[in-house]
Amino acid sequence: MDQKINRNEVEKRVRELNNLLKEYGHAYYVLDKPVVPDSVYDQHMQELLAIEAEHPDLIFPDSPSQRVGGEILSNFSKVVHEFPMLSLSNVFNEEDIRDFDRRVQAGAGHSITYICELKIDGLAVSLKYEKGNFIQGSTRGDGTIGEDITANLKTIHAIPLKLSEPITIEVRGEAYMPKKSFIKLNEMRDENGEEPFANPRNAAAGSLRQLDPKIAASRNLSVFIYGIGGDGSAYGQDSHSDSLDYLATLGFKTNTGSKRCSSIEEVIEYIESWQERRQDLDYEIDGIVIKVDGYEDQEQLGFTARSPRWATAYKFPAEEVHTKLLDIELSVGRTGVVTPTAILEPVRVAGTTVARASLHNEDLIREKDIRIGDAVIIRKAGILSRKSSVFSLNNGQEWKNLTKCPIIARYVIPSLSGLMEK
Ligand code: IVH
């Protein structure tokens, strides 16, 4: 009898600890607003772990202790997506954006409310919940078949293991590595003589591709959920913005930067304001996603083979691009100073085609051992003044092969509004 009472008490405490840790975790990882100091979270977690070690039958599948599985996988199994994971069409300038708007308005037959979102630079994931429990998470793969990375996704605290409602739902989002975690990770890799990751997106993808979930757990990843897989109206929602609110009430981390815009002018203003502020964010974004908000309008517009007609992605101009040094031109100024100019294989950087860039002076050419025929990087002015670990955030994927590549030119980029007025 006594034993039974004791056992009931223990179970009660375990449930209490589960709930407290879930609440603290949600505040910290989803809302970004901690409600207790880390030490309190740790104490509760230690207590739960101790009880669970003594009473393994009280380990619930959604216990916060179950985020890191002990097993190392031998491979990832394939997942056939119930709803294909499509991609988005891209637009690159104001004209493209206005063309998209014209097509949408013509297709819908009336004026449209858009919802603009930050385009998170990570990797697309699909999360499946059955009766409120997280049962499977996968990568996009080719859009039809992805890989089962459930064990790694479970290590991401921003992904709820149990929803606030016992519903069956598939959600889509972007897993990413915050800039701070990326810098720390690369510093550690550098100290250990390991190859640094080129950018946070590669670091996030590399982490989720690990067969040992402990590695993913150590990488501090996060996720933003940006939509419901399949038909959002099946969940009683009339628009994408309503769905985002609903997803947040279910316990998902949604991005608070999204905005409803009732004209294309507002959309353009939104893009311009984020283009200027993107550096202030704690994570990388590579553009803005423009979506038709109303589900009825979305349905009317439909899909092409690869992407929805009701959405598009405005891609920020690349801030750094690779090209080839074709020639060095020398010009003599009125004061007799010789200025060398790089003649480049024309390349688009930050929205403009660049074919020439100043090399400043002969010393710089000698110092960097710049030679005709070299592979070179053109980057937006100002970036060179940052710490190298920070500016590698903007490097392209081929950075590894180009570490010896001389940085020969700074090219001053006109602002987006300047570009858009052209
Ligand atoms: S909506 C039908 N919203 O961008 C496709 N995608 O090709 C619906 N992405 O890899 C995608 N942030 O994972 C959407 N706020 C956002 C996004 C976003 C990043 C990624 C997505 C996909 C790519 C689109």
Side-chain angles (χ1 to χ4, degrees):
M1 182 68 179
D2 269 5
Q3 247 179 359
K4 200 160 178 203
I5 292 175
N6 186 31
R7 157 104 200 163
N8 283 347
E9 295 272 299
V10 173
E11 183 170 342
K12 202 175 132 212
R13 182 62 181 156
V14 167
R15 288 190 188 279
E16 211 167 66
L17 288 168
N18 266 283
N19 288 339
L20 281 173
L21 287 165
K22 228 163 139 195
E23 186 192 318
Y24 299 160
H26 183 257
Y28 186 91
Y29 293 105
V30 175
L31 305 177
D32 214 4
K33 286 198 180 87
V35 289
V36 289
D38 292 0
S39 58
V40 173
Y41 184 93
D42 293 343
Q43 262 168 20
H44 284 80
M45 182 60 111
Q46 291 312 320
E47 187 185 343
L48 178 65
L49 289 171
I51 305 178
E52 285 181 344
E54 230 177 280
H55 304 270
D57 56 318
L58 290 178
I59 305 177
F60 302 123
D62 62 326
S63 162
S65 68
Q66 297 306 292
R67 288 203 174 265
V68 191
E71 250 177 77
I72 300 180
L73 306 173
S74 51
N75 64 335
F76 295 119
S77 47
K78 300 275 177 245
V79 175
V80 179
H81 297 302
E82 193 177 336
F83 312 100
M85 288 182 81
L86 301 175
S87 54
L88 292 168
S89 59
N90 291 317
V91 289
F92 297 97
N93 52 45
E94 181 175 354
E95 207 184 311
D96 296 348
I97 296 170
R98 290 191 185 277
D99 281 348
F100 167 76
D101 180 46
R102 270 190 286 273
R103 278 196 308 274
V104 164
Q105 309 253 16
H110 56 86
S111 72
I112 285 287
T113 300
Y114 293 104
I115 172 155
C116 291
E117 291 171 16
L118 306 184
K119 188 168 182 298
I120 316 298
D121 199 7
L123 74 156
V125 292
S126 161
L127 311 176
K128 276 191 195 164
Y129 288 79
E130 213 173 72
K131 295 185 183 140
N133 295 307
F134 179 48
I135 54 155
Q136 189 179 62
S138 52
T139 61
R140 177 176 183 274
D142 63 4
T144 308
I145 301 176
E147 283 185 321
D148 185 328
I149 53 163
T150 313
N152 285 337
L153 289 173
K154 266 187 173 178
T155 69
I156 301 181
H157 289 264
I159 295 180
L161 300 178
K162 200 180 185 103
L163 303 178
S164 63
E165 287 176 31
I167 54 158
T168 296
I169 193 170
E170 181 181 340
V171 298
R172 305 272 166 87
E174 196 84 352
Y176 69 94
M177 184 177 284
K179 286 179 189 170
K180 272 193 206 133
S181 313
F182 169 72
I183 291 167
K184 249 197 223 154
L185 174 64
N186 266 359
E187 275 169 6
M188 253 168 54
R189 289 177 75 85
D190 193 34
E191 277 167 30
N192 298 337
E194 291 165 316
E195 187 81 37
F197 284 107
N199 53 48
R201 177 169 33 82
N202 286 6
S207 307
L208 289 175
R209 233 181 270 126
Q210 298 288 332
L211 292 165
D212 181 358
K214 285 199 181 62
I215 300 182
S218 72
R219 295 283 171 84
N220 234 329
L221 301 172
S222 193
V223 73
F224 282 118
I225 299 302
Y226 54 65
I228 296 174
D231 184 9
S233 60
Y235 295 88
Q237 307 304 317
D238 295 332
S239 66
H240 183 68
S241 52
D242 286 346
S243 288
L244 288 177
D245 293 343
Y246 176 56
L247 288 166
T249 65
L250 289 175
F252 291 110
K253 179 169 162 183
T254 54
N255 190 280
T256 50
S258 64
K259 185 173 182 270
R260 266 162 58 92
C261 296
S262 50
S263 70
I264 204 66
E265 267 66 38
E266 259 187 72
V267 169
I268 291 167
E269 261 172 49
Y270 177 91
I271 291 176
E272 287 181 344
S273 85
W274 276 109
Q275 182 144 301
E276 273 159 32
R277 287 182 291 149
R278 63 190 277 217
Q279 312 294 351
D280 304 338
L281 290 167
D282 183 32
Y283 44 86
E284 295 236 305
I285 59 172
D286 60 340
I288 298 296
V289 183
I290 312 164
K291 299 174 182 173
V292 168
D293 196 28
Y295 279 153
E296 265 181 35
D297 292 332
Q298 285 191 3
E299 206 176 310
Q300 192 172 340
L301 289 156
F303 296 83
T304 68
R306 277 197 282 141
S307 53
R309 286 199 190 86
W310 44 262
T312 195
Y314 169 78
K315 296 292 272 291
F316 289 138
E319 292 188 318
E320 180 183 288
V321 290
H322 300 150
T323 188
K324 196 173 159 186
L325 177 62
L326 299 178
D327 201 359
I328 298 175
E329 210 177 77
L330 301 174
S331 62
V332 187
R334 264 190 306 133
T335 52
V337 176
V338 178
T339 308
T341 300
I343 309 299
L344 305 160
E345 209 164 77
V347 69
R348 273 183 86 75
V349 55
T352 336
T353 303
V354 180
R356 306 164 63 85
S358 170
L359 287 171
H360 306 287
N361 54 54
E362 198 183 328
D363 287 350
L364 182 118
I365 299 178
R366 286 194 198 290
E367 190 192 311
K368 292 197 182 288
D369 191 23
I370 294 163
R371 289 158 197 250
I372 293 167
D374 275 357
V376 291
I377 296 173
I378 300 295
R379 60 177 57 178
K380 187 170 162 174
I383 291 193
L384 283 177
S385 59
R386 297 216 220 128
K387 263 175 64 181
S388 60
S389 56
V390 177
F391 77 61
S392 64
L393 286 175
N394 292 304
N395 288 339
Q397 264 172 308
E398 300 103 271
W399 173 249
K400 250 196 312 198
N401 315 329
L402 288 173
T403 37
K404 302 263 157 28
C405 168
I407 294 156
I408 59 162
R410 298 173 200 207
Y411 180 77
V412 183
I413 311 300
S415 72
L416 177 70
S417 45
L419 270 172
M420 287 194 152
E421 276 155 21
K422 269 192 204 156

mmCIF file of all heavy atoms in Angstrom, residues 85-88 117-121 123-125 140 173-174 226 286 289 291 303 307-308 310 313, ligand 1:
data_model
loop_
_atom_site.group_PDB
_atom_site.id
_atom_site.type_symbol
_atom_site.label_atom_id
_atom_site.label_comp_id
_atom_site.label_asym_id
_atom_site.label_seq_id
_atom_site.Cartn_x
_atom_site.Cartn_y
_atom_site.Cartn_z
ATOM 1 N N MET A 85 7.050 18.513 -51.520
ATOM 2 C CA MET A 85 7.652 19.741 -50.990
ATOM 3 C C MET A 85 8.146 20.545 -52.187
ATOM 4 O O MET A 85 9.219 20.275 -52.717
ATOM 5 C CB MET A 85 8.791 19.420 -50.021
ATOM 6 C CG MET A 85 8.270 18.855 -48.708
ATOM 7 S SD MET A 85 9.575 18.517 -47.520
ATOM 8 C CE MET A 85 9.875 20.138 -46.812
ATOM 9 N N LEU A 86 7.334 21.489 -52.609
ATOM 10 C CA LEU A 86 7.662 22.263 -53.802
ATOM 11 C C LEU A 86 8.681 23.340 -53.470
ATOM 12 O O LEU A 86 9.000 23.576 -52.304
ATOM 13 C CB LEU A 86 6.389 22.902 -54.359
ATOM 14 C CG LEU A 86 5.288 21.920 -54.741
ATOM 15 C CD1 LEU A 86 4.037 22.664 -55.160
ATOM 16 C CD2 LEU A 86 5.753 20.993 -55.857
ATOM 17 N N SER A 87 9.188 23.978 -54.527
ATOM 18 C CA SER A 87 10.061 25.123 -54.247
ATOM 19 C C SER A 87 9.350 26.388 -54.728
ATOM 20 O O SER A 87 8.218 26.328 -55.184
ATOM 21 C CB SER A 87 11.421 24.936 -54.900
ATOM 22 O OG SER A 87 11.229 24.689 -56.255
ATOM 23 N N LEU A 88 10.041 27.492 -54.615
ATOM 24 C CA LEU A 88 9.432 28.773 -54.978
ATOM 25 C C LEU A 88 10.084 29.322 -56.237
ATOM 26 O O LEU A 88 11.287 29.122 -56.453
ATOM 27 C CB LEU A 88 9.628 29.790 -53.844
ATOM 28 C CG LEU A 88 8.869 29.526 -52.548
ATOM 29 C CD1 LEU A 88 9.390 30.449 -51.446
ATOM 30 C CD2 LEU A 88 7.375 29.742 -52.738
ATOM 31 N N GLU A 117 7.282 37.268 -45.728
ATOM 32 C CA GLU A 117 8.030 36.596 -44.662
ATOM 33 C C GLU A 117 9.514 36.641 -44.974
ATOM 34 O O GLU A 117 9.904 36.739 -46.134
ATOM 35 C CB GLU A 117 7.622 35.120 -44.585
ATOM 36 C CG GLU A 117 6.231 34.912 -44.083
ATOM 37 C CD GLU A 117 5.789 33.461 -44.240
ATOM 38 O OE1 GLU A 117 6.619 32.567 -44.443
ATOM 39 O OE2 GLU A 117 4.570 33.247 -44.166
ATOM 40 N N LEU A 118 10.306 36.507 -43.934
ATOM 41 C CA LEU A 118 11.745 36.422 -44.150
ATOM 42 C C LEU A 118 12.044 35.051 -44.746
ATOM 43 O O LEU A 118 11.448 34.052 -44.337
ATOM 44 C CB LEU A 118 12.485 36.577 -42.811
ATOM 45 C CG LEU A 118 12.125 37.829 -42.012
ATOM 46 C CD1 LEU A 118 12.978 37.925 -40.759
ATOM 47 C CD2 LEU A 118 12.313 39.077 -42.875
ATOM 48 N N LYS A 119 12.952 35.022 -45.699
ATOM 49 C CA LYS A 119 13.350 33.732 -46.278
ATOM 50 C C LYS A 119 14.579 33.251 -45.512
ATOM 51 O O LYS A 119 15.684 33.762 -45.703
ATOM 52 C CB LYS A 119 13.650 33.882 -47.772
ATOM 53 C CG LYS A 119 13.885 32.551 -48.448
ATOM 54 C CD LYS A 119 13.879 32.708 -49.959
ATOM 55 C CE LYS A 119 14.061 31.372 -50.653
ATOM 56 N NZ LYS A 119 15.338 30.721 -50.352
ATOM 57 N N ILE A 120 14.345 32.335 -44.619
ATOM 58 C CA ILE A 120 15.397 31.843 -43.733
ATOM 59 C C ILE A 120 16.373 30.981 -44.537
ATOM 60 O O ILE A 120 15.947 30.119 -45.307
ATOM 61 C CB ILE A 120 14.792 30.985 -42.583
ATOM 62 C CG1 ILE A 120 13.545 31.650 -41.981
ATOM 63 C CG2 ILE A 120 15.833 30.666 -41.516
ATOM 64 C CD1 ILE A 120 13.746 32.981 -41.338
ATOM 65 N N ASP A 121 17.673 31.230 -44.348
ATOM 66 C CA ASP A 121 18.673 30.501 -45.127
ATOM 67 C C ASP A 121 19.136 29.271 -44.359
ATOM 68 O O ASP A 121 20.172 29.284 -43.694
ATOM 69 C CB ASP A 121 19.855 31.434 -45.451
ATOM 70 C CG ASP A 121 20.666 30.911 -46.613
ATOM 71 O OD1 ASP A 121 20.240 29.916 -47.248
ATOM 72 O OD2 ASP A 121 21.722 31.492 -46.898
ATOM 73 N N LEU A 123 17.689 24.808 -44.097
ATOM 74 C CA LEU A 123 17.190 23.759 -44.986
ATOM 75 C C LEU A 123 15.769 23.374 -44.614
ATOM 76 O O LEU A 123 15.397 23.380 -43.437
ATOM 77 C CB LEU A 123 18.133 22.545 -45.035
ATOM 78 C CG LEU A 123 18.191 21.590 -43.874
ATOM 79 C CD1 LEU A 123 18.676 20.250 -44.346
ATOM 80 C CD2 LEU A 123 19.136 22.150 -42.828
ATOM 81 N N ALA A 124 15.013 23.076 -45.667
ATOM 82 C CA ALA A 124 13.579 22.800 -45.494
ATOM 83 C C ALA A 124 13.394 21.473 -44.771
ATOM 84 O O ALA A 124 14.078 20.492 -45.072
ATOM 85 C CB ALA A 124 12.908 22.755 -46.854
ATOM 86 N N VAL A 125 12.472 21.466 -43.810
ATOM 87 C CA VAL A 125 12.141 20.219 -43.122
ATOM 88 C C VAL A 125 10.624 20.067 -43.047
ATOM 89 O O VAL A 125 9.879 21.050 -43.085
ATOM 90 C CB VAL A 125 12.738 20.157 -41.684
ATOM 91 C CG1 VAL A 125 14.246 20.064 -41.718
ATOM 92 C CG2 VAL A 125 12.275 21.323 -40.826
ATOM 93 N N ARG A 140 13.765 17.716 -47.331
ATOM 94 C CA ARG A 140 12.994 17.893 -48.562
ATOM 95 C C ARG A 140 13.376 16.843 -49.607
ATOM 96 O O ARG A 140 12.537 16.342 -50.324
ATOM 97 C CB ARG A 140 13.249 19.305 -49.103
ATOM 98 C CG ARG A 140 12.583 19.584 -50.400
ATOM 99 C CD ARG A 140 12.793 21.033 -50.820
ATOM 100 N NE ARG A 140 12.073 21.301 -52.036
ATOM 101 C CZ ARG A 140 12.539 21.080 -53.245
ATOM 102 N NH1 ARG A 140 13.749 20.597 -53.397
ATOM 103 N NH2 ARG A 140 11.811 21.334 -54.314
ATOM 104 N N GLY A 173 8.915 23.815 -42.400
ATOM 105 C CA GLY A 173 9.685 24.937 -41.868
ATOM 106 C C GLY A 173 11.132 24.867 -42.305
ATOM 107 O O GLY A 173 11.512 24.035 -43.135
ATOM 108 N N GLU A 174 11.909 25.767 -41.755
ATOM 109 C CA GLU A 174 13.325 25.868 -42.118
ATOM 110 C C GLU A 174 14.169 25.668 -40.869
ATOM 111 O O GLU A 174 14.022 26.418 -39.892
ATOM 112 C CB GLU A 174 13.579 27.260 -42.727
ATOM 113 C CG GLU A 174 14.859 27.398 -43.477
ATOM 114 C CD GLU A 174 14.767 26.923 -44.935
ATOM 115 O OE1 GLU A 174 13.742 26.334 -45.342
ATOM 116 O OE2 GLU A 174 15.746 27.141 -45.667
ATOM 117 N N TYR A 226 6.933 27.640 -41.149
ATOM 118 C CA TYR A 226 6.298 28.653 -41.993
ATOM 119 C C TYR A 226 5.042 28.161 -42.702
ATOM 120 O O TYR A 226 4.483 28.879 -43.540
ATOM 121 C CB TYR A 226 7.286 29.242 -43.006
ATOM 122 C CG TYR A 226 7.999 28.227 -43.861
ATOM 123 C CD1 TYR A 226 7.321 27.431 -44.772
ATOM 124 C CD2 TYR A 226 9.376 28.081 -43.772
ATOM 125 C CE1 TYR A 226 7.973 26.507 -45.553
ATOM 126 C CE2 TYR A 226 10.050 27.157 -44.546
ATOM 127 C CZ TYR A 226 9.334 26.373 -45.437
ATOM 128 O OH TYR A 226 9.995 25.453 -46.215
ATOM 129 N N ASP A 286 18.120 34.964 -46.880
ATOM 130 C CA ASP A 286 18.650 35.220 -48.217
ATOM 131 C C ASP A 286 17.619 35.883 -49.112
ATOM 132 O O ASP A 286 17.828 36.005 -50.307
ATOM 133 C CB ASP A 286 19.219 33.933 -48.850
ATOM 134 C CG ASP A 286 18.178 32.843 -48.994
ATOM 135 O OD1 ASP A 286 17.152 32.900 -48.298
ATOM 136 O OD2 ASP A 286 18.394 31.923 -49.807
ATOM 137 N N VAL A 289 10.014 36.065 -48.809
ATOM 138 C CA VAL A 289 8.997 35.261 -49.495
ATOM 139 C C VAL A 289 7.697 36.068 -49.514
ATOM 140 O O VAL A 289 7.270 36.583 -48.481
ATOM 141 C CB VAL A 289 8.779 33.903 -48.796
ATOM 142 C CG1 VAL A 289 7.773 33.068 -49.583
ATOM 143 C CG2 VAL A 289 10.101 33.141 -48.661
ATOM 144 N N LYS A 291 3.754 35.839 -50.278
ATOM 145 C CA LYS A 291 2.699 34.843 -50.453
ATOM 146 C C LYS A 291 1.342 35.535 -50.517
ATOM 147 O O LYS A 291 1.116 36.518 -49.802
ATOM 148 C CB LYS A 291 2.672 33.874 -49.263
ATOM 149 C CG LYS A 291 3.954 33.076 -49.068
ATOM 150 C CD LYS A 291 3.941 32.243 -47.782
ATOM 151 C CE LYS A 291 5.269 31.511 -47.633
ATOM 152 N NZ LYS A 291 5.420 30.812 -46.354
ATOM 153 N N PHE A 303 -0.941 25.900 -58.956
ATOM 154 C CA PHE A 303 0.482 25.583 -59.009
ATOM 155 C C PHE A 303 0.943 25.378 -60.450
ATOM 156 O O PHE A 303 0.152 24.998 -61.290
ATOM 157 C CB PHE A 303 0.740 24.250 -58.289
ATOM 158 C CG PHE A 303 0.434 24.304 -56.824
ATOM 159 C CD1 PHE A 303 -0.877 24.138 -56.367
ATOM 160 C CD2 PHE A 303 1.432 24.502 -55.893
ATOM 161 C CE1 PHE A 303 -1.166 24.182 -55.012
ATOM 162 C CE2 PHE A 303 1.144 24.542 -54.541
ATOM 163 C CZ PHE A 303 -0.148 24.384 -54.091
ATOM 164 N N SER A 307 6.166 24.880 -58.648
ATOM 165 C CA SER A 307 5.999 25.864 -57.570
ATOM 166 C C SER A 307 4.599 26.484 -57.587
ATOM 167 O O SER A 307 3.919 26.468 -58.619
ATOM 168 C CB SER A 307 7.071 26.949 -57.722
ATOM 169 O OG SER A 307 7.022 27.466 -59.028
ATOM 170 N N PRO A 308 4.193 27.039 -56.461
ATOM 171 C CA PRO A 308 2.883 27.676 -56.432
ATOM 172 C C PRO A 308 2.886 28.986 -57.241
ATOM 173 O O PRO A 308 3.889 29.685 -57.270
ATOM 174 C CB PRO A 308 2.663 27.981 -54.948
ATOM 175 C CG PRO A 308 3.997 27.906 -54.300
ATOM 176 C CD PRO A 308 4.896 27.092 -55.161
ATOM 177 N N TRP A 310 0.943 31.292 -56.384
ATOM 178 C CA TRP A 310 0.517 32.293 -55.401
ATOM 179 C C TRP A 310 1.671 32.764 -54.493
ATOM 180 O O TRP A 310 1.438 33.486 -53.530
ATOM 181 C CB TRP A 310 -0.639 31.757 -54.551
ATOM 182 C CG TRP A 310 -0.464 30.338 -54.068
ATOM 183 C CD1 TRP A 310 -0.984 29.217 -54.638
ATOM 184 C CD2 TRP A 310 0.281 29.893 -52.923
ATOM 185 N NE1 TRP A 310 -0.618 28.097 -53.921
ATOM 186 C CE2 TRP A 310 0.159 28.490 -52.868
ATOM 187 C CE3 TRP A 310 1.035 30.547 -51.942
ATOM 188 C CZ2 TRP A 310 0.770 27.728 -51.873
ATOM 189 C CZ3 TRP A 310 1.648 29.781 -50.953
ATOM 190 C CH2 TRP A 310 1.512 28.394 -50.925
ATOM 191 N N ALA A 313 9.778 34.078 -54.311
ATOM 192 C CA ALA A 313 10.839 34.497 -53.381
ATOM 193 C C ALA A 313 11.660 35.600 -54.019
ATOM 194 O O ALA A 313 12.181 35.423 -55.127
ATOM 195 C CB ALA A 313 11.729 33.310 -53.039
HETATM 196 S S1 IVH B 1 7.314 28.789 -48.302
HETATM 197 C C1 IVH B 1 5.878 25.870 -51.908
HETATM 198 N N1 IVH B 1 8.428 30.384 -46.561
HETATM 199 O O1 IVH B 1 12.927 28.575 -49.318
HETATM 200 C C2 IVH B 1 7.097 26.225 -51.148
HETATM 201 N N2 IVH B 1 9.840 28.897 -47.764
HETATM 202 O O2 IVH B 1 12.138 27.303 -52.502
HETATM 203 C C3 IVH B 1 6.717 26.867 -49.853
HETATM 204 N N3 IVH B 1 12.196 29.022 -47.125
HETATM 205 O O3 IVH B 1 13.771 25.517 -49.407
HETATM 206 C C4 IVH B 1 7.885 27.433 -49.197
HETATM 207 N N4 IVH B 1 11.975 30.582 -45.576
HETATM 208 O O4 IVH B 1 12.458 25.860 -47.208
HETATM 209 C C5 IVH B 1 8.641 29.419 -47.475
HETATM 210 N N5 IVH B 1 9.270 31.824 -44.953
HETATM 211 C C6 IVH B 1 9.476 30.866 -45.846
HETATM 212 C C7 IVH B 1 10.756 30.339 -46.109
HETATM 213 C C8 IVH B 1 10.893 29.356 -47.088
HETATM 214 C C9 IVH B 1 12.834 29.770 -46.208
HETATM 215 C C10 IVH B 1 12.857 28.053 -48.019
HETATM 216 C C11 IVH B 1 12.126 26.754 -48.203
HETATM 217 C C12 IVH B 1 12.599 26.263 -49.540
HETATM 218 C C13 IVH B 1 12.925 27.531 -50.265
HETATM 219 C C14 IVH B 1 11.875 27.857 -51.295
#
